[in-house]
Amino acid sequence: MSDQIRSLTLSHVVLPIANPVSDAKVLTGRQKPLTETVLLFVEVTTTQGLSGVGFSYSKRAGGKAQFAHLKEVAEAAIGQDPSDIAKIYESLMWAGASVGRSGVATQAVAALDVALWDLKAKRADLPLAKLLGSYRDSCRVYNTSGGFLQASLEEMKEKASASLETGIAGIKIKVGQPDWRLDLERVAAMREHLGDTPFMVDANQQWDRARARRMCRELEQHDLVWIEEPLDAWDAVGHADLSREFDTPIATGEMLTSVPEHMALVDAGYRGIVQPDAPRIGGITPFLRFATIAAHHGLALAPHYAMEIHLHLAAAYPTEPWVEHFEWLDPLFDESIEIRDGRIFVPQRPGLGFTLSDEMRAHTQDTVTFSA
């Protein structure tokens, strides 16, 4: 007899950020400083006694909506075979079809989808990367958390040096300020400070097409690994045009919440770096669907945030990817990830390789359980 999903526990978790940060969206007045990460955790157990854990997240808004949406549709998964992940995914999409197949709907379902992949790898007694078919046991890693715009130039330099001393390979900083001259000054100063260290910048969608072309042209001299989100995230044609016009690679995709939204980049002739985010695109199932297409088109990969999930997915991508390092979620898990010599290493424990910490429980504001 096949296994069945016996119970699902959903947890709404609010994790404060010790030092609030601001990117260009704050300086242009479009958002408030980031003070917390709101997470949706799913713990799944089966009739054969197996378990899995997954999560999704939101910043600034949407966390409560994710929790509420999954509460409405999660019961559709009860009694299903947990190995039939694609089938379960489709059933949850149909259960919430009236609100569409992107945005909050996919981000909510993502937490359960990730939990099912964690469970499946645990059933096989393999790290998730090995279950998927990994190409490598570690990936290049860069840090973003030290490069936000509320930090002074000296503070950014200090944080970058500290990150490199821990074994991080690359550094990314935020740009996109209303005064573009300040961006250029900070980038030039950081390039001088970093020497030959791999260096990326992120404009967080704050340039129009004309400004983006001018900034990309000015930034060519700094030998950047990439220029991230120079345009609105849904301007596929604009990003594709920039990716063909400049030598410095363009990177985008972190904000997109479905495979079709990512496919718009491919259809527009995009030649840059894709940055799908598993919790945002809808989970590991849709992430893998798009990753296959991206690899077919020869696109480089650098998944966004959530390194606890993306490290496994990056290890299973054909060409060498970058993984983004944020320490913000560390308190939620009992285990840490090994970083050394510029690389972040796939945990050798089964599944994602993480268990939820007491601190995660302490930050849980609401929870609900569904059971057969």
Side-chain angles (χ1 to χ4, degrees), residues 93-100:
M93 286 291 99
W94 278 111
S98 65
V99 293

Side-chain angles (χ1 to χ4, degrees), residues 274-332:
V274 289
Q275 297 181 297
D277 180 319
R280 282 183 174 161
I281 198 175
I284 292 172
T285 298
F287 184 104
L288 293 175
R289 291 174 184 170
F290 177 67
T292 299
I293 297 167
H296 174 74
H297 285 273
L299 301 177
L301 177 76
H304 168 255
Y305 201 61
M307 63 184 181
E308 295 81 6
I309 300 170
H310 290 135
L311 173 55
H312 291 272
L313 304 182
Y317 195 71
T319 57
E320 177 77 15
W322 283 93
V323 170
E324 185 172 30
H325 175 266
F326 269 93
E327 68 281 1
W328 293 351
L329 303 186
D330 288 355
L332 301 173

